[in-house]
Short mmCIF file of all heavy atoms in Angstrom, two decimals:
data_model
loop_
_atom_site.label_atom_id
_atom_site.label_comp_id
_atom_site.label_asym_id
_atom_site.label_seq_id
_atom_site.Cartn_x
_atom_site.Cartn_y
_atom_site.Cartn_z
N MET A 24 0.87 -1.18 -0.01
CA MET A 24 0.01 0.00 0.02
C MET A 24 0.90 1.24 0.00
O MET A 24 1.90 1.28 0.69
CB MET A 24 -0.93 -0.03 1.21
CG MET A 24 -1.75 1.16 1.35
SD MET A 24 -3.06 0.96 2.58
CE MET A 24 -4.47 0.65 1.45
N ALA A 25 0.48 2.21 -0.73
CA ALA A 25 1.30 3.50 -0.87
C ALA A 25 1.21 4.27 0.43
O ALA A 25 0.11 4.38 1.03
CB ALA A 25 0.83 4.26 -2.03
N GLU A 26 2.33 4.84 0.83
CA GLU A 26 2.29 5.67 1.98
C GLU A 26 2.07 7.12 1.56
O GLU A 26 2.74 7.67 0.68
CB GLU A 26 3.66 5.62 2.67
CG GLU A 26 3.71 6.39 3.99
CD GLU A 26 5.08 6.29 4.67
OE1 GLU A 26 5.65 5.14 4.61
OE2 GLU A 26 5.58 7.27 5.19
N LEU A 27 1.05 7.74 2.10
CA LEU A 27 0.67 9.11 1.68
C LEU A 27 1.14 10.13 2.73
O LEU A 27 1.06 9.77 3.96
CB LEU A 27 -0.83 9.19 1.50
CG LEU A 27 -1.47 8.33 0.45
CD1 LEU A 27 -2.93 8.54 0.41
CD2 LEU A 27 -0.86 8.62 -0.91
N GLU A 28 1.56 11.20 2.30
CA GLU A 28 1.89 12.35 3.25
C GLU A 28 0.83 13.39 3.17
O GLU A 28 0.35 13.74 2.08
CB GLU A 28 3.23 12.94 2.92
CG GLU A 28 4.40 12.09 3.22
CD GLU A 28 5.69 12.85 3.06
OE1 GLU A 28 5.67 14.10 2.87
OE2 GLU A 28 6.77 12.15 3.06
N PHE A 29 0.44 13.92 4.31
CA PHE A 29 -0.63 14.99 4.34
C PHE A 29 -0.09 16.18 4.99
O PHE A 29 -0.81 16.85 5.80
CB PHE A 29 -1.83 14.43 4.95
CG PHE A 29 -2.48 13.32 4.18
CD1 PHE A 29 -2.26 12.03 4.49
CD2 PHE A 29 -3.23 13.61 3.10
CE1 PHE A 29 -2.83 10.95 3.79
CE2 PHE A 29 -3.83 12.61 2.38
CZ PHE A 29 -3.66 11.29 2.71
N ASP A 30 1.17 16.56 4.77
CA ASP A 30 1.78 17.76 5.40
C ASP A 30 1.20 19.03 4.78
O ASP A 30 0.97 19.98 5.45
CB ASP A 30 3.29 17.75 5.19
CG ASP A 30 3.97 16.61 5.85
OD1 ASP A 30 3.37 16.07 6.84
OD2 ASP A 30 5.08 16.28 5.48
N SER A 31 0.94 18.96 3.49
CA SER A 31 0.46 20.17 2.80
C SER A 31 -1.05 20.42 3.08
O SER A 31 -1.84 19.54 2.90
CB SER A 31 0.67 20.05 1.32
OG SER A 31 0.13 21.12 0.61
N PRO A 32 -1.42 21.65 3.50
CA PRO A 32 -2.81 21.96 3.74
C PRO A 32 -3.57 22.17 2.45
O PRO A 32 -4.82 22.14 2.43
CB PRO A 32 -2.78 23.31 4.52
CG PRO A 32 -1.46 23.96 4.15
CD PRO A 32 -0.55 22.83 3.85
N VAL A 33 -2.87 22.30 1.32
CA VAL A 33 -3.56 22.46 0.04
C VAL A 33 -3.31 21.28 -0.82
O VAL A 33 -2.12 20.84 -0.99
CB VAL A 33 -2.94 23.71 -0.68
CG1 VAL A 33 -3.57 23.88 -2.09
CG2 VAL A 33 -3.21 24.96 0.12
N VAL A 34 -4.34 20.68 -1.34
CA VAL A 34 -4.29 19.48 -2.21
C VAL A 34 -4.60 19.98 -3.58
O VAL A 34 -5.63 20.49 -3.89
CB VAL A 34 -5.26 18.37 -1.82
CG1 VAL A 34 -5.15 17.19 -2.70
CG2 VAL A 34 -4.98 17.97 -0.34
N PRO A 35 -3.71 19.75 -4.56
CA PRO A 35 -3.98 20.22 -5.95
C PRO A 35 -5.08 19.45 -6.56
O PRO A 35 -5.15 18.23 -6.29
CB PRO A 35 -2.63 19.96 -6.67
CG PRO A 35 -1.93 18.90 -5.82
CD PRO A 35 -2.39 19.03 -4.45
N ARG A 36 -5.93 20.08 -7.36
CA ARG A 36 -7.00 19.44 -8.09
C ARG A 36 -6.42 18.69 -9.26
O ARG A 36 -5.46 19.09 -9.87
CB ARG A 36 -7.94 20.44 -8.56
CG ARG A 36 -8.85 21.00 -7.51
CD ARG A 36 -9.79 21.93 -8.10
NE ARG A 36 -10.68 22.44 -7.08
CZ ARG A 36 -11.83 22.92 -7.29
NH1 ARG A 36 -12.35 23.05 -8.45
NH2 ARG A 36 -12.59 23.41 -6.28
N THR A 37 -7.07 17.63 -9.66
CA THR A 37 -6.74 16.96 -10.90
C THR A 37 -7.49 17.72 -11.99
O THR A 37 -8.23 18.59 -11.70
CB THR A 37 -7.16 15.49 -10.88
OG1 THR A 37 -8.56 15.43 -10.61
CG2 THR A 37 -6.46 14.72 -9.79
N ALA A 38 -7.39 17.23 -13.20
CA ALA A 38 -8.14 17.83 -14.25
C ALA A 38 -9.56 17.71 -13.92
O ALA A 38 -10.04 16.71 -13.44
CB ALA A 38 -7.85 17.10 -15.61
N GLU A 39 -10.36 18.75 -14.08
CA GLU A 39 -11.67 18.86 -13.61
C GLU A 39 -12.52 17.55 -13.81
O GLU A 39 -12.82 17.16 -14.90
CB GLU A 39 -12.44 19.98 -14.38
CG GLU A 39 -11.86 21.37 -13.97
CD GLU A 39 -12.03 21.65 -12.51
OE1 GLU A 39 -13.14 21.40 -11.87
OE2 GLU A 39 -11.08 22.14 -11.95
N PHE A 40 -12.82 16.88 -12.73
CA PHE A 40 -13.58 15.68 -12.74
C PHE A 40 -15.06 16.12 -12.43
O PHE A 40 -15.31 16.83 -11.53
CB PHE A 40 -13.15 14.68 -11.63
CG PHE A 40 -11.92 13.92 -11.93
CD1 PHE A 40 -10.75 14.23 -11.28
CD2 PHE A 40 -11.95 12.91 -12.88
CE1 PHE A 40 -9.61 13.53 -11.65
CE2 PHE A 40 -10.83 12.21 -13.17
CZ PHE A 40 -9.63 12.52 -12.55
N GLU A 41 -15.91 15.63 -13.24
CA GLU A 41 -17.33 15.83 -13.02
C GLU A 41 -17.82 14.58 -12.34
O GLU A 41 -17.57 13.49 -12.82
CB GLU A 41 -18.03 16.04 -14.34
CG GLU A 41 -17.79 17.41 -14.96
CD GLU A 41 -18.34 18.57 -14.14
OE1 GLU A 41 -19.41 18.41 -13.57
OE2 GLU A 41 -17.70 19.57 -14.15
N LEU A 42 -18.56 14.71 -11.22
CA LEU A 42 -19.10 13.56 -10.55
C LEU A 42 -20.06 12.75 -11.44
O LEU A 42 -20.26 11.63 -11.28
CB LEU A 42 -19.78 13.93 -9.22
CG LEU A 42 -18.82 14.47 -8.18
CD1 LEU A 42 -19.58 14.78 -6.89
CD2 LEU A 42 -17.74 13.57 -7.91
N SER A 43 -20.70 13.46 -12.45
CA SER A 43 -21.56 12.77 -13.34
C SER A 43 -20.83 12.23 -14.57
O SER A 43 -21.45 11.69 -15.45
CB SER A 43 -22.64 13.79 -13.79
OG SER A 43 -22.04 14.87 -14.43
N GLY A 44 -19.51 12.43 -14.66
CA GLY A 44 -18.73 11.98 -15.76
C GLY A 44 -18.63 10.47 -15.80
O GLY A 44 -19.44 9.71 -15.23
N GLY A 45 -17.60 10.01 -16.57
CA GLY A 45 -17.39 8.60 -16.72
C GLY A 45 -17.26 7.83 -15.36
O GLY A 45 -17.02 8.39 -14.35
N SER A 46 -17.52 6.53 -15.46
CA SER A 46 -17.58 5.75 -14.16
C SER A 46 -16.22 5.10 -13.91
O SER A 46 -15.76 4.35 -14.74
CB SER A 46 -18.66 4.73 -14.35
OG SER A 46 -18.78 3.99 -13.19
N THR A 47 -15.66 5.42 -12.76
CA THR A 47 -14.47 4.77 -12.30
C THR A 47 -14.80 4.48 -10.83
O THR A 47 -15.71 5.07 -10.24
CB THR A 47 -13.20 5.67 -12.36
OG1 THR A 47 -13.38 6.81 -11.47
CG2 THR A 47 -12.95 6.13 -13.76
N PRO A 48 -14.06 3.61 -10.14
CA PRO A 48 -14.36 3.30 -8.81
C PRO A 48 -14.30 4.57 -7.85
O PRO A 48 -15.18 4.75 -7.02
CB PRO A 48 -13.29 2.29 -8.35
CG PRO A 48 -12.91 1.57 -9.65
CD PRO A 48 -13.09 2.65 -10.68
N MET A 49 -13.32 5.43 -8.12
CA MET A 49 -13.25 6.69 -7.37
C MET A 49 -14.39 7.62 -7.64
O MET A 49 -14.93 8.20 -6.71
CB MET A 49 -11.91 7.37 -7.67
CG MET A 49 -11.62 8.57 -6.77
SD MET A 49 -11.40 8.22 -5.02
CE MET A 49 -9.81 7.47 -5.06
N ARG A 50 -14.79 7.80 -8.84
CA ARG A 50 -15.99 8.63 -9.16
C ARG A 50 -17.23 8.07 -8.60
O ARG A 50 -18.11 8.81 -8.14
CB ARG A 50 -16.04 8.79 -10.67
CG ARG A 50 -14.93 9.69 -11.18
CD ARG A 50 -15.07 9.84 -12.73
NE ARG A 50 -13.98 10.61 -13.26
CZ ARG A 50 -13.77 10.79 -14.56
NH1 ARG A 50 -14.63 10.27 -15.43
NH2 ARG A 50 -12.78 11.38 -14.94
N ARG A 51 -17.42 6.74 -8.62
CA ARG A 51 -18.60 6.09 -8.05
C ARG A 51 -18.63 6.33 -6.51
O ARG A 51 -19.66 6.68 -6.03
CB ARG A 51 -18.63 4.57 -8.35
CG ARG A 51 -19.01 4.31 -9.84
CD ARG A 51 -19.29 2.84 -10.00
NE ARG A 51 -18.20 1.98 -9.77
CZ ARG A 51 -17.26 1.57 -10.69
NH1 ARG A 51 -17.35 2.09 -11.91
NH2 ARG A 51 -16.26 0.81 -10.37
N ALA A 52 -17.53 6.20 -5.93
CA ALA A 52 -17.43 6.46 -4.45
C ALA A 52 -17.77 7.95 -4.23
O ALA A 52 -18.52 8.27 -3.21
CB ALA A 52 -16.06 6.10 -3.90
N ALA A 53 -17.30 8.86 -5.01
CA ALA A 53 -17.53 10.27 -4.84
C ALA A 53 -19.06 10.55 -4.98
O ALA A 53 -19.62 11.33 -4.22
CB ALA A 53 -16.77 11.13 -5.87
N ARG A 54 -19.73 9.98 -5.99
CA ARG A 54 -21.14 10.16 -6.21
C ARG A 54 -21.95 9.60 -5.04
O ARG A 54 -22.83 10.27 -4.57
CB ARG A 54 -21.58 9.45 -7.49
CG ARG A 54 -21.29 10.26 -8.78
CD ARG A 54 -22.04 9.73 -9.96
NE ARG A 54 -21.66 8.32 -10.24
CZ ARG A 54 -20.66 8.04 -11.10
NH1 ARG A 54 -19.98 8.91 -11.67
NH2 ARG A 54 -20.47 6.73 -11.31
N GLN A 55 -21.54 8.43 -4.55
CA GLN A 55 -22.32 7.85 -3.42
C GLN A 55 -22.12 8.71 -2.14
O GLN A 55 -23.01 8.97 -1.38
CB GLN A 55 -21.75 6.42 -3.03
CG GLN A 55 -22.15 5.39 -4.14
CD GLN A 55 -21.51 4.09 -3.94
OE1 GLN A 55 -20.54 3.91 -3.19
NE2 GLN A 55 -22.01 3.07 -4.61
N LEU A 56 -20.90 9.16 -1.89
CA LEU A 56 -20.63 10.06 -0.79
C LEU A 56 -21.45 11.32 -0.92
O LEU A 56 -22.05 11.89 0.07
CB LEU A 56 -19.14 10.31 -0.60
CG LEU A 56 -18.74 11.19 0.61
CD1 LEU A 56 -19.27 10.62 1.88
CD2 LEU A 56 -17.22 11.31 0.66
N GLN A 57 -21.44 11.93 -2.08
CA GLN A 57 -22.13 13.22 -2.36
C GLN A 57 -23.61 13.01 -2.06
O GLN A 57 -24.23 13.94 -1.50
CB GLN A 57 -21.94 13.66 -3.78
CG GLN A 57 -22.53 14.97 -4.14
CD GLN A 57 -21.88 16.19 -3.50
OE1 GLN A 57 -20.64 16.34 -3.77
NE2 GLN A 57 -22.50 16.96 -2.68
N ALA A 58 -24.17 11.89 -2.46
CA ALA A 58 -25.63 11.64 -2.26
C ALA A 58 -25.94 11.56 -0.76
O ALA A 58 -27.02 11.85 -0.38
CB ALA A 58 -25.98 10.40 -3.06
N ALA A 59 -25.01 11.08 0.06
CA ALA A 59 -25.20 10.83 1.46
C ALA A 59 -25.02 12.09 2.28
O ALA A 59 -25.55 12.10 3.40
CB ALA A 59 -24.31 9.73 2.01
N LEU A 60 -24.29 13.09 1.74
CA LEU A 60 -24.05 14.30 2.53
C LEU A 60 -25.18 15.32 2.41
O LEU A 60 -25.97 15.31 1.43
CB LEU A 60 -22.79 14.90 2.03
CG LEU A 60 -21.46 14.13 2.28
CD1 LEU A 60 -20.27 14.80 1.54
CD2 LEU A 60 -21.19 14.10 3.77
N PRO A 61 -25.32 16.17 3.43
CA PRO A 61 -26.34 17.26 3.35
C PRO A 61 -26.02 18.23 2.26
O PRO A 61 -24.89 18.30 1.77
CB PRO A 61 -26.18 17.93 4.68
CG PRO A 61 -25.36 17.08 5.59
CD PRO A 61 -24.54 16.18 4.63
N ASP A 62 -27.05 18.95 1.81
CA ASP A 62 -26.90 19.98 0.77
C ASP A 62 -25.75 20.97 1.25
O ASP A 62 -25.60 21.37 2.35
CB ASP A 62 -28.20 20.73 0.61
CG ASP A 62 -29.24 19.92 -0.10
OD1 ASP A 62 -28.87 18.92 -0.73
OD2 ASP A 62 -30.45 20.28 0.11
N GLY A 63 -25.00 21.45 0.22
CA GLY A 63 -23.93 22.37 0.40
C GLY A 63 -22.64 21.72 0.54
O GLY A 63 -21.60 22.43 0.40
N TRP A 64 -22.58 20.48 0.92
CA TRP A 64 -21.28 19.78 1.02
C TRP A 64 -20.80 19.45 -0.34
O TRP A 64 -21.59 19.12 -1.24
CB TRP A 64 -21.40 18.59 1.90
CG TRP A 64 -21.55 18.84 3.37
CD1 TRP A 64 -22.66 19.56 3.99
CD2 TRP A 64 -20.67 18.49 4.45
NE1 TRP A 64 -22.38 19.67 5.26
CE2 TRP A 64 -21.26 18.99 5.62
CE3 TRP A 64 -19.58 17.80 4.49
CZ2 TRP A 64 -20.69 18.79 6.85
CZ3 TRP A 64 -18.94 17.60 5.75
CH2 TRP A 64 -19.54 18.16 6.92
N GLU A 65 -19.50 19.39 -0.54
CA GLU A 65 -18.93 19.18 -1.91
C GLU A 65 -17.89 18.09 -1.79
O GLU A 65 -17.06 18.04 -0.95
CB GLU A 65 -18.30 20.46 -2.35
CG GLU A 65 -17.87 20.46 -3.79
CD GLU A 65 -17.39 21.87 -4.21
OE1 GLU A 65 -18.02 22.89 -3.78
OE2 GLU A 65 -16.33 21.91 -4.89
N VAL A 66 -17.92 17.09 -2.74
CA VAL A 66 -16.97 16.11 -2.82
C VAL A 66 -16.19 16.26 -4.12
O VAL A 66 -16.79 16.42 -5.24
CB VAL A 66 -17.68 14.70 -2.84
CG1 VAL A 66 -16.65 13.58 -3.01
CG2 VAL A 66 -18.51 14.48 -1.62
N GLU A 67 -14.86 16.13 -4.04
CA GLU A 67 -13.97 16.25 -5.20
C GLU A 67 -12.97 15.15 -5.26
O GLU A 67 -12.66 14.65 -4.26
CB GLU A 67 -13.26 17.60 -5.20
CG GLU A 67 -14.06 18.85 -5.15
CD GLU A 67 -13.17 20.03 -4.97
OE1 GLU A 67 -12.33 20.14 -3.97
OE2 GLU A 67 -13.40 20.99 -5.76
N VAL A 68 -12.61 14.75 -6.48
CA VAL A 68 -11.56 13.76 -6.68
C VAL A 68 -10.30 14.65 -6.94
O VAL A 68 -10.25 15.47 -7.82
CB VAL A 68 -11.83 12.85 -7.88
CG1 VAL A 68 -10.68 11.86 -8.08
CG2 VAL A 68 -13.15 12.07 -7.63
N VAL A 69 -9.27 14.40 -6.06
CA VAL A 69 -7.98 15.22 -6.21
C VAL A 69 -6.78 14.30 -6.18
O VAL A 69 -6.88 13.12 -5.82
CB VAL A 69 -7.97 16.22 -5.00
CG1 VAL A 69 -9.06 17.28 -5.05
CG2 VAL A 69 -7.94 15.53 -3.69
N ASP A 70 -5.63 14.84 -6.59
CA ASP A 70 -4.41 14.18 -6.53
C ASP A 70 -3.91 14.21 -5.03
O ASP A 70 -3.90 15.28 -4.47
CB ASP A 70 -3.33 14.84 -7.42
CG ASP A 70 -3.54 14.55 -8.88
OD1 ASP A 70 -4.10 13.51 -9.18
OD2 ASP A 70 -3.05 15.43 -9.61
N ALA A 71 -3.50 13.05 -4.55
CA ALA A 71 -2.93 12.99 -3.20
C ALA A 71 -1.55 13.54 -3.19
O ALA A 71 -0.79 13.36 -4.21
CB ALA A 71 -2.95 11.51 -2.74
N PRO A 72 -1.15 14.23 -2.12
CA PRO A 72 0.25 14.73 -2.08
C PRO A 72 1.16 13.52 -2.05
O PRO A 72 0.85 12.49 -1.51
CB PRO A 72 0.29 15.44 -0.69
CG PRO A 72 -1.10 15.67 -0.27
CD PRO A 72 -1.94 14.65 -1.01
N ARG A 73 2.36 13.66 -2.70
CA ARG A 73 3.26 12.61 -2.77
C ARG A 73 4.67 13.09 -2.70
O ARG A 73 4.92 14.23 -3.05
CB ARG A 73 3.01 11.72 -4.00
CG ARG A 73 3.13 12.48 -5.28
CD ARG A 73 2.69 11.54 -6.40
NE ARG A 73 2.52 12.35 -7.67
CZ ARG A 73 3.48 12.62 -8.45
NH1 ARG A 73 4.68 12.10 -8.33
NH2 ARG A 73 3.29 13.32 -9.51
N ARG A 74 5.58 12.15 -2.41
CA ARG A 74 7.02 12.48 -2.42
C ARG A 74 7.54 12.25 -3.87
O ARG A 74 6.94 11.42 -4.59
CB ARG A 74 7.76 11.62 -1.40
CG ARG A 74 7.55 12.02 -0.02
CD ARG A 74 8.29 11.17 0.93
NE ARG A 74 7.30 10.26 1.50
CZ ARG A 74 7.45 9.10 2.06
NH1 ARG A 74 8.71 8.59 2.09
NH2 ARG A 74 6.49 8.42 2.65
N PRO A 75 8.62 12.81 -4.21
CA PRO A 75 9.26 12.52 -5.52
C PRO A 75 9.48 11.06 -5.72
O PRO A 75 9.95 10.37 -4.82
CB PRO A 75 10.55 13.35 -5.48
CG PRO A 75 10.36 14.40 -4.48
CD PRO A 75 9.37 13.86 -3.45
N GLY A 76 9.19 10.54 -6.81
CA GLY A 76 9.39 9.16 -7.16
C GLY A 76 8.13 8.32 -6.80
O GLY A 76 8.07 7.12 -7.28
N GLN A 77 7.19 8.78 -6.08
CA GLN A 77 6.01 8.03 -5.80
C GLN A 77 4.98 8.08 -6.94
O GLN A 77 4.94 9.04 -7.66
CB GLN A 77 5.25 8.47 -4.52
CG GLN A 77 5.93 8.08 -3.23
CD GLN A 77 5.12 8.53 -2.07
OE1 GLN A 77 4.57 9.56 -2.08
NE2 GLN A 77 5.11 7.65 -1.04
N ILE A 78 4.20 7.06 -7.10
CA ILE A 78 3.23 6.98 -8.13
C ILE A 78 2.02 7.91 -7.71
O ILE A 78 1.63 7.83 -6.56
CB ILE A 78 2.72 5.61 -8.37
CG1 ILE A 78 3.90 4.73 -8.94
CG2 ILE A 78 1.56 5.52 -9.38
CD1 ILE A 78 3.63 3.32 -8.98
N ALA A 79 1.47 8.68 -8.70
CA ALA A 79 0.36 9.54 -8.36
C ALA A 79 -0.86 8.71 -7.92
O ALA A 79 -1.04 7.60 -8.46
CB ALA A 79 0.03 10.38 -9.63
N ALA A 80 -1.63 9.26 -7.04
CA ALA A 80 -2.82 8.56 -6.57
C ALA A 80 -3.97 9.56 -6.42
O ALA A 80 -3.64 10.75 -6.04
CB ALA A 80 -2.55 7.84 -5.25
N ALA A 81 -5.16 9.14 -6.63
CA ALA A 81 -6.28 10.06 -6.38
C ALA A 81 -6.87 9.77 -4.98
O ALA A 81 -6.75 8.66 -4.45
CB ALA A 81 -7.31 9.84 -7.45
N MET A 82 -7.56 10.85 -4.42
CA MET A 82 -8.26 10.70 -3.20
C MET A 82 -9.52 11.55 -3.22
O MET A 82 -9.59 12.43 -4.14
CB MET A 82 -7.43 10.98 -2.06
CG MET A 82 -6.91 12.38 -1.93
SD MET A 82 -5.78 12.61 -0.55
CE MET A 82 -6.47 14.14 0.17
N LEU A 83 -10.36 11.39 -2.33
CA LEU A 83 -11.60 12.23 -2.24
C LEU A 83 -11.40 13.34 -1.22
O LEU A 83 -10.78 13.05 -0.14
CB LEU A 83 -12.81 11.35 -1.80
CG LEU A 83 -13.28 10.25 -2.73
CD1 LEU A 83 -14.42 9.50 -2.16
CD2 LEU A 83 -13.54 10.78 -4.10
N ARG A 84 -11.80 14.52 -1.56
CA ARG A 84 -11.77 15.67 -0.63
C ARG A 84 -13.20 16.07 -0.43
O ARG A 84 -13.95 16.28 -1.40
CB ARG A 84 -10.98 16.76 -1.20
CG ARG A 84 -11.01 18.04 -0.29
CD ARG A 84 -10.14 19.11 -0.74
NE ARG A 84 -10.19 19.43 -2.11
CZ ARG A 84 -9.34 20.21 -2.74
NH1 ARG A 84 -8.31 20.69 -2.07
NH2 ARG A 84 -9.44 20.49 -3.98
N VAL A 85 -13.58 16.18 0.89
CA VAL A 85 -14.91 16.65 1.22
C VAL A 85 -14.80 18.04 1.78
O VAL A 85 -14.03 18.27 2.75
CB VAL A 85 -15.62 15.68 2.18
CG1 VAL A 85 -17.01 16.20 2.58
CG2 VAL A 85 -15.69 14.30 1.63
N GLN A 86 -15.53 19.00 1.31
CA GLN A 86 -15.57 20.37 1.81
C GLN A 86 -16.93 20.70 2.35
O GLN A 86 -17.96 20.37 1.81
CB GLN A 86 -15.29 21.36 0.73
CG GLN A 86 -13.78 21.19 0.20
CD GLN A 86 -13.45 22.20 -0.84
OE1 GLN A 86 -14.29 22.58 -1.67
NE2 GLN A 86 -12.21 22.63 -0.84
N THR A 87 -16.88 21.33 3.54
CA THR A 87 -18.15 21.79 4.23
C THR A 87 -18.66 23.04 3.53
O THR A 87 -17.89 23.71 2.88
CB THR A 87 -17.86 22.04 5.69
OG1 THR A 87 -16.87 23.08 5.81
CG2 THR A 87 -17.39 20.85 6.42
N PRO A 88 -19.89 23.36 3.73
CA PRO A 88 -20.45 24.59 3.16
C PRO A 88 -19.69 25.82 3.72
O PRO A 88 -19.26 25.87 4.76
CB PRO A 88 -21.85 24.63 3.63
CG PRO A 88 -22.18 23.21 4.02
CD PRO A 88 -20.93 22.65 4.49
N ARG A 89 -19.60 26.79 2.79
CA ARG A 89 -18.87 27.99 3.27
C ARG A 89 -19.77 29.08 3.82
O ARG A 89 -20.88 29.15 3.74
CB ARG A 89 -18.18 28.63 2.03
CG ARG A 89 -17.13 27.69 1.56
CD ARG A 89 -16.51 28.16 0.29
NE ARG A 89 -15.72 27.01 -0.19
CZ ARG A 89 -15.10 26.97 -1.23
NH1 ARG A 89 -15.07 27.99 -2.01
NH2 ARG A 89 -14.41 25.94 -1.60
#
């Protein structure tokens, strides 16, 4: 399993993923989570922070209403 670092408070976005876009396991999980959250909460698929040489990985980011 890949070891992830979460030192950075800012997680860069991947190319704009639409939750209604193509179906991948990560996007399906994002849609399911979005459906379970209250209105105003936002779920995004983002690149996980990584060290040089590590393989890129995606993760879900959940943001509370502003």
